[in-house]
Amino acid sequence: MEMAPAVVPFFLPARPAGHAGYIQGVSNFIDSPPATAKRPRKARGASAPNPAAANAAAASFAALTSRLDYLGQSDIEKVRLAYKFADEAHLGQIRASGEPYITHPIAVAAQCAEWKLDAQALMAALLHDALEDCGVTKAELIERFGAPVAELVDGLTKLDKLHFNTREENQAESFRKMLLAMARDVRVILIKLADRSHNMRTLSNVPRDKWARISSETLEIYAPIAHRLGLNQIYRELQDLSFTYLHPWRNATLTKAVEKARSRRRDLIQKVHTEVEDAFTKAGMSVRIAGREKSVFSIYRKMILKHLTFAQVTDIYGFRLIVPTLSDCYTALGILHQLYKPVPGRFKDHIAIAKVNGYQSLHTTLVGPSGVNVEFQMRTEAMNLVAESGVAAHWLYKASAPDQATTESLGNQWLQSLLDIQRETGDAAEFWDHVKVDLFPDAVYVFTPRSQIMSLPRGATVVDFAYSIHSDVGDRTVAARINGEQVPLRTELKNGDVVEVVTASISRPNPAWLSFVRTGRARSKIRHHLKTLASAESEVFGKKLLAQALRAEGIEHFPEDETAYQSVWDRLLRFTGNRNRAELLTDIGLGKRISTIVAKRLVSLLAEEKGEKPDALLLTRERFTADPSSKQGVVTLDGSENASVHYSTCCRPIPGDPIVGYLGRGEGLVVHTRSCPVAAKLQSKDSERFIDVEWSDEPTRPFETEILVSVINGKGVLARVAAALAAAESDITHIHMGQEAAHDASDLRFVIAVRDRAHLDSALRNLRRTASVLRVQRV
C-alpha cells in the first residue's frame, strides 16, 4: 500500500475532502486519511474465506508484483512463493475491518518494495506474522526459505511480542531488545516501521479505548527511531496519524485552519512559483520545483514549544528545489537571493555540515511578495532520496546505481554504538538511559583543532567531545580549551566552537563526569571503565586478604602458579561456584565471600592434592601475634586503594584514629573508627566480617573529616574561617550553613581534607584563635 508522498509537484488533482494526516503539496496539499487499521493483537475470526476475499488477496499481490520490477525474475518467484505460503498460513483469519488478513502482510511488503528492499526483506514482510499467529516453526521457515529470511521473521516476531507502557522503568528491557535487533540487521526495523505505519493508517477499526496507548507508543518510540534513521516520510506520517488519534479535536481545528490559510494564500504561492520558475528559465538552469507544507503535528509542536498562535507560525508553506548537481544547489541559492531578499540569520548549510541522520540540504528563508516569509530548500535528487528515505536509501541506490554505496553508512555509526553500549551495560534501565538522548538529536556542530567537523547532541560537553573522538582520549582527558581559552570540562559546546582536549597518560575517568555528560557513548564508556577499575582493584585486594588468611592457617606462600596448582584451583572453584580465580578473588575483595572460610578449604585441598601441610612454626607465630577480636589478618591502608576500600562517611576516619574494617556484602572493605556507633552495631550482628586494619606510616593522600564551627554572625566571618583553614594548609571540600534564618550565632559545618590527626589538631587550633569563632569540634 502506498504512503502519502513527502513532496508532490504542482497542479496535482485534489483528493477528496475530509482527509487528515500527513500534508504535502502546494496548489492541492495532500492530506492522507487514517483509513483502516489492524488491532494491536490481531483480530481474526474462524470463518472460511469466500471466493471474493480470495480474489481480493490475489489482486493485492498483483499490485505488489507491479512494484517488483527492480528485482530479478528468480527473486520475484521467491517472493511469490513466500506470498503463497503466507496466504495459506493466514487462511480463515479476518482483520477488524472485515478484510482477509493477508491484505496486511501485502501492504507491509508493498511499503518495503517502495524502499526497494531486497527479496529476503520482502519475503520476511509477507511472513512476519506467520510464526506468531499460524503455528509455523522457525525450522520450517529455514527449510522453505533459508536461514536469513527465518532470522528476519524471528526478529520481527520477537518485536511483536514487546509491549511498551511508555514508562521508562517498564519499557527499558523491551526497548533494548528492539534496538539491538535493529543494530544487528536494520531491515528488521524497516519492516517493523512499515508494519506500524499500516497499523496506524487503519487504526480507526480498532476500539477507541486502545487509540491512546497505541498512538502514544508510536509517537514516543517508533517515530523517533524513524527520524534517527532518516526515514522522514514515515516519521512525519507516524507523527500526524498519532496526533489524529491522541488529540482528535485539536487535529480537526488545526486542519481547518491550514485549509483556510491554504485557500487564502493560493494566489500568493502560485505567484512565487511562477516567478521562481521564470528566474531559473532565464538563468538556463534545469530545476524541479515542488511545494512543501508543514505537517499538522509540526505546526502544533511549534505552537506549544514557542507559545505561538496559529497566525504567528510563518513557515507553514515552502518550496523545494531539486537540482542536478551539488554545485547547482549553491548556484540556485544565488539566483533566489537575487530574486528575493533573504531574512538575516535564517540560512543553514546542511550540505557542508550534514545532520546526524545523513540529511543534506540548503535552507534559506526569503521575503516574498506582500512581505510574506517563504522557506526554500535546495538539494540534489540523491540528497532528496536520502532526506525522505534515510537508511533505506541504501537499497534505493543499489536498485538504481549498484556502484553507488554512499548511503550504506547512514545510521551505521549510531547502530554500531548501540552494540558498543550494550556490551558495556548490564542493566536495561541503564541502557535506555544511554540511548534515549541519541534518539532525539538536536545537533550542535563543533570543530577539532584540525578543522574536522564533529556533530554532537545539543547540551554536549567537552567530555562528550573527547569520547566522540576515541574512548582512550575521553578516559585520559584532564583539561580543555575552547576557541583558545581554558574552560572547565563540564562546559557546554556551542555551534562553531573549536575544541582542543588536553590528555595525560595517568588520568582516569572521574565518576563526577556522569552528572553532566550528555551522550550515551560517553556515559557508557565512563561507567564501564569505573566498573572494570573497581573489579581489578577488588581482585588485587581479595588476593591480599586470601594470602593473609592462608598465613593465619600456616601456609607461607600463595599458590600462584595456575599450571602447578590447576587441580587445586578447579576443586576450590567448584566449591565456591565461581567461574575462574579472578572472579573468586574479586568476590573476596568485595566482601561477598569470607577469606578465612576460603583459606581453610584451600589448605585442605593443598594437603589432599599436593601433600602441603601447614607450617607449625608459622601457625604458632601468627596465632600468638593475632588480635583475638579479629577473625582475619591485618590490612595496612595508605589511601591508594581507590574503589576496593571505602572510608565511611558516618565517622570519617583519618590517619591516627583507631580503626576497624568491615567487609560489606558486595561493598568491599568499609573502614570505621573503633568508637563509631554504626560499626559497633554491625559488629554485634556480623562479627565474622570484621578484619583488623591499620594505617600505613606514610599515607599517600589527604583524608576528609567533618568539623563543626560555631561563630558570631558578622561581615567577613566566613572569609576569616576559610583563611584560618587555608593557613593550616587544609582544603575545604564542602560547607553546610543550614536553612534557618541567621541569628547572633550560627553553626557552620565544614568537610576538610587533612593528612592525619596532628594536621587536624593544627587546623582546629588556628580556628580557635580566630576572632568571632566561639567553639570548634570534630563531628
Side-chain angles (χ1 to χ4, degrees), residues 363-563:
H363 291 198
T364 187
T365 302
L366 308 178
V367 181
S370 307
V372 175
N373 288 356
V374 183
E375 186 187 56
F376 288 84
Q377 299 172 356
M378 284 71 69
R379 60 178 71 150
T380 65
E381 286 286 1
M383 292 175 192
N384 191 53
L385 193 62
V386 172
E388 297 307 320
S389 302
V391 76
H394 167 56
W395 286 275
L396 291 166
Y397 268 134
K398 283 174 66 177
S400 59
D403 60 321
Q404 295 189 56
T406 53
T407 57
E408 189 166 2
S409 62
L410 278 175
N412 283 0
Q413 186 177 358
W414 182 61
L415 295 175
Q416 183 57 44
S417 75
L418 294 179
L419 296 178
D420 293 341
I421 292 171
Q422 158 67 8
R423 279 195 293 270
E424 296 165 3
T425 308
D427 180 59
E430 189 179 316
F431 176 84
W432 164 241
D433 182 47
H434 292 334
V435 300
K436 66 181 178 183
V437 170
D438 295 337
L439 267 181
F440 305 93
D442 186 9
V444 59
Y445 301 93
V446 297
F447 296 88
T448 67
R450 295 182 181 178
S451 299
Q452 180 186 352
I453 297 172
M454 305 289 289
S455 173
L456 295 163
R458 192 166 298 281
T461 64
V462 172
V463 176
D464 293 299
F465 172 84
Y467 276 103
S468 71
I469 295 172
H470 196 279
S471 56
D472 287 344
V473 176
D475 288 345
R476 297 190 175 108
T477 297
V478 291
R481 285 188 284 271
I482 294 180
N483 304 324
E485 294 185 4
Q486 192 88 17
V487 295
L489 293 181
R490 66 186 311 125
T491 304
E492 288 191 8
L493 304 177
K494 298 182 179 63
N495 275 320
D497 282 345
V498 179
V499 188
E500 182 182 354
V501 174
V502 181
T503 61
S505 58
I506 60 171
S507 178
R508 293 175 176 177
N510 189 329
W513 292 355
L514 291 170
S515 66
F516 60 76
V517 291
R518 185 91 168 97
T519 60
R521 176 179 172 82
R523 191 176 296 277
S524 68
K525 291 288 183 185
I526 294 166
R527 282 183 173 163
H528 178 66
H529 186 98
L530 293 174
K531 286 176 183 176
T532 305
L533 182 67
S535 179
E537 290 177 348
S538 297
E539 182 185 343
V540 172
F541 184 59
K543 183 178 177 181
K544 187 177 179 181
L545 289 176
L546 184 57
Q548 289 176 339
L550 285 172
R551 283 183 60 84
E553 295 296 327
I555 300 295
E556 177 78 39
H557 301 292
F558 187 84
E560 190 75 58
D561 189 344
E562 284 198 44
T563 306

Side-chain angles (χ1 to χ4, degrees), residues 163-407:
H163 201 69
F164 299 110
N165 296 314
T166 65
R167 290 202 305 270
E168 288 184 16
E169 63 273 16
N170 293 331
Q171 75 181 21
E173 182 61 35
S174 298
F175 200 81
R176 172 161 71 167
K177 289 176 184 174
M178 183 170 70
L179 289 176
L180 292 177
M182 174 175 72
R184 281 187 282 270
D185 191 335
V186 76
R187 291 177 298 177
V188 171
I189 199 63
L190 290 174
I191 299 168
K192 183 62 183 175
L193 288 171
D195 177 42
R196 178 52 61 120
S197 299
H198 187 246
N199 290 345
M200 289 303 298
R201 291 174 197 148
T202 57
L203 190 63
S204 59
N205 294 314
V206 173
R208 185 178 286 268
D209 60 348
K210 296 183 179 180
W211 286 6
R213 181 186 64 78
I214 298 171
S215 299
S216 296
E217 178 181 299
T218 302
L219 193 61
E220 295 176 24
I221 294 167
Y222 291 101
I225 290 174
H227 186 219
R228 194 62 177 77
L229 295 176
L231 298 161
N232 289 322
Q233 278 188 335
I234 291 288
Y235 167 62
R236 291 188 294 256
E237 184 182 21
L238 291 178
Q239 282 187 326
D240 275 352
L241 289 172
S242 299
F243 181 55
T244 300
Y245 292 106
L246 274 175
H247 304 292
W249 183 85
R250 297 178 195 181
N251 177 73
T253 304
L254 274 179
T255 301
K256 287 180 183 177
V258 169
E259 288 171 355
K260 287 182 181 177
R262 186 186 305 150
S263 62
R264 284 198 306 269
R265 298 203 173 173
R266 187 185 303 273
D267 293 339
L268 173 68
I269 293 167
Q270 189 59 56
K271 183 180 179 182
V272 171
H273 173 257
T274 303
E275 291 179 355
V276 170
E277 202 170 45
D278 291 344
F280 278 90
T281 302
K282 287 178 184 177
M285 185 173 171
S286 173
V287 65
R288 179 162 65 88
I289 306 173
R292 176 198 63 80
E293 181 178 288
K294 206 174 187 70
S295 69
V296 174
F297 180 77
S298 296
I299 296 170
Y300 172 73
R301 185 172 55 186
K302 188 165 187 175
M303 291 169 63
I304 294 295
L305 292 177
K306 298 192 175 182
H307 306 288
L308 303 175
T309 64
F310 178 79
Q312 291 172 315
V313 180
T314 59
D315 59 344
I316 296 175
Y317 307 111
F319 291 84
R320 189 165 295 156
L321 276 58
I322 312 299
V323 296
T325 66
L326 187 149
S327 59
D328 288 338
C329 293
Y330 294 93
T331 305
L333 178 69
I335 293 171
L336 288 174
H337 281 199
Q338 290 176 26
L339 181 63
Y340 301 122
K341 297 294 182 192
V343 177
R346 295 293 297 274
F347 169 68
K348 294 178 182 176
D349 189 344
H350 292 301
I351 293 178
I353 307 175
K355 288 189 176 182
V356 289
N357 58 11
Y359 176 89
Q360 287 185 292
S361 187
L362 290 181
H363 291 198
T364 187
T365 302
L366 308 178
V367 181
S370 307
V372 175
N373 288 356
V374 183
E375 186 187 56
F376 288 84
Q377 299 172 356
M378 284 71 69
R379 60 178 71 150
T380 65
E381 286 286 1
M383 292 175 192
N384 191 53
L385 193 62
V386 172
E388 297 307 320
S389 302
V391 76
H394 167 56
W395 286 275
L396 291 166
Y397 268 134
K398 283 174 66 177
S400 59
D403 60 321
Q404 295 189 56
T406 53
T407 57

